[in-house]
């Protein structure tokens, strides 16, 4: 057995503690990360992704100053997990925005029950298609590279072991949730407008010709219009969503204002 010199043992302990502290924030974020943290991804794969991100960003993160005692260690562990979960929720809200936009569009165009249980989360077909397409686009645009940069920059916004103020964190969370619903409604706006025009036209025709069963004529029309708008508007919807996602990654604090 090879014996290590006594002077290397403190350095080895500090290096392992640094690795563990970085892994705490990274693993908490990866558990909520779009595409890499989905519920359909096995836990072992998520663990491997967390280790890979940890090894990538470890050289660029400042090493924590090990404080003696159990309480400082517990405080550091809880703080790093809290920061990772907060940043992961900020990213996860963009996936929820796509799902909400799909639900709004599906309800507006009477397509809410088709393939409703095809995803891990019970969402309509439009929400499932938009979510899957958005996650695929994000990965193709280099989501993993942007997330690595995001994690490195997070140590400038939230230094290791320094817990954010509760008031600032709650205000930031409320802004992110409000921004998520605003983005979802903006993405579904074309189909909501089409539904409004359809219902107005249907009401006028019904008043003009009460004997005509306008529901039987209008149901195929709104279905076809909804599918056509989904086909034609998905590139623009995903472009707006991707820009919002990567704007948040670049500036997670200012993106909500």
């Amino acid at each position: 057995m090879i014996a290590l010199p006594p002077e290397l043992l403190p350095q080895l302990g500090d290096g392992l503690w640094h690795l563990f502290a970085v892994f705490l924030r990274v693993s908490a974020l990866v558990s909520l990360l779009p595409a890499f943290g989905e519920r359909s991804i096995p836990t072992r794969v998520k663990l491997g992704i967390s280790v890979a991100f940890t090894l990538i960003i470890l050289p660029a993160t400042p090493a924590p100053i090990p404080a003696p005692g159990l309480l400082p260690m517990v405080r550091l562990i809880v703080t790093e997990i809290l920061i990772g979960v907060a940043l992961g929720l900020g990213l996860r809200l963009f996936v929820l925005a796509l799902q909400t936009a799909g639900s709004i569009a599906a309800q507006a165009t009477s397509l809410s029950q088709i393939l409703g249980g095809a995803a891990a989360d019970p969402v309509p077909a439009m929400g499932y298609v938009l979510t899957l397409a958005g996650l695929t686009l994000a990965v193709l645009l280099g989501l993993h590279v942007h997330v690595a940069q995001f994690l490195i920059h997070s140590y400038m916004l939230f230094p290791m072991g320094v817990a954010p103020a509760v008031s600032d964190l709650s205000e930031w969370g409320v802004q992110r949730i409000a921004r998520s619903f605003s983005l979802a409604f903006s993405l579904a706006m074309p189909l909501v407008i089409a539904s409004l025009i359809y219902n107005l036209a249907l009401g006028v025709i019904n008043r003009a010709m009460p004997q005509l069963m306008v529901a039987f004529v209008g149901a195929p029309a709104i279905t076809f219009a909804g599918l056509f708008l989904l086909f034609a508007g998905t590139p623009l919807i995903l472009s707006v969503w991707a820009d919002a996602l990567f704007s948040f990654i670049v500036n997670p604090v200012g993106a909500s204002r």
Side-chain angles (χ1 to χ4, degrees):
M1 180 179 294
I2 301 175
L4 293 176
E7 59 272 10
L8 291 182
L9 293 179
Q11 298 180 5
L12 181 61
D14 294 344
L16 292 176
W17 177 244
H18 185 197
L19 178 67
F20 177 69
V22 173
F23 178 77
L24 289 174
R25 182 180 299 195
V26 171
S27 60
L29 185 141
V30 169
S31 65
L32 298 168
L33 187 63
F36 299 101
E38 304 299 324
R39 280 195 283 179
S40 58
I41 304 296
T43 305
R44 294 180 181 178
V45 176
K46 293 180 183 179
L47 179 61
I49 294 172
S50 302
V51 172
F53 273 120
T54 301
L55 296 177
I56 289 172
I57 72 170
L58 182 65
T61 57
I65 300 176
L70 179 61
L71 185 60
M73 181 185 301
V74 173
R75 184 184 297 112
L76 176 63
I77 292 174
V78 173
T79 299
E80 290 302 304
I81 293 177
L82 174 64
I83 294 174
V85 169
L87 296 176
L89 285 175
L91 293 171
R92 174 56 52 179
L93 285 174
F94 285 93
V95 179
L96 296 179
L98 276 181
Q99 294 177 352
T100 305
S103 299
I104 294 173
Q107 291 289 343
T109 56
S110 302
L111 294 173
S112 59
Q113 302 301 324
I114 302 178
L115 299 178
D121 297 320
V123 295
M126 285 189 178
Y128 178 67
V129 171
L130 289 177
T131 302
L132 184 60
L135 295 178
T136 305
L137 178 63
V139 174
L140 291 175
L141 292 177
L143 178 64
H144 55 291
V145 178
H146 291 282
V147 168
Q149 298 173 350
F150 178 65
L151 285 167
I152 294 173
H153 293 158
S154 69
Y155 286 94
M156 301 179 185
L157 295 173
F158 308 102
M160 186 176 295
V162 179
V166 177
S167 58
D168 295 339
L169 187 60
S170 60
E171 181 181 359
W172 178 81
V174 170
Q175 290 176 351
R176 291 315 312 160
I177 294 174
R179 173 60 181 161
S180 176
F181 280 100
S182 175
L183 178 62
F185 187 77
S186 300
L187 296 178
M189 183 63 69
L191 290 98
V192 173
I193 294 176
S195 175
L196 176 62
I197 296 175
Y198 159 78
N199 285 287
L200 288 176
L202 211 63
V204 172
I205 295 173
N206 191 30
R207 293 288 294 177
M209 293 183 293
Q211 297 81 8
L212 179 64
M213 300 296 292
V214 292
F216 292 101
V217 179
I222 189 60
T223 301
F224 174 78
L227 293 176
F228 176 78
L229 287 176
L230 180 65
F231 170 76
T234 296
L236 179 60
I237 291 174
L238 295 182
S239 176
V240 173
W241 177 81
D243 290 341
L245 173 63
F246 290 116
S247 296
F248 172 78
I249 291 177
V250 172
N251 188 3
V253 177
S256 61
R257 296 176 181 176

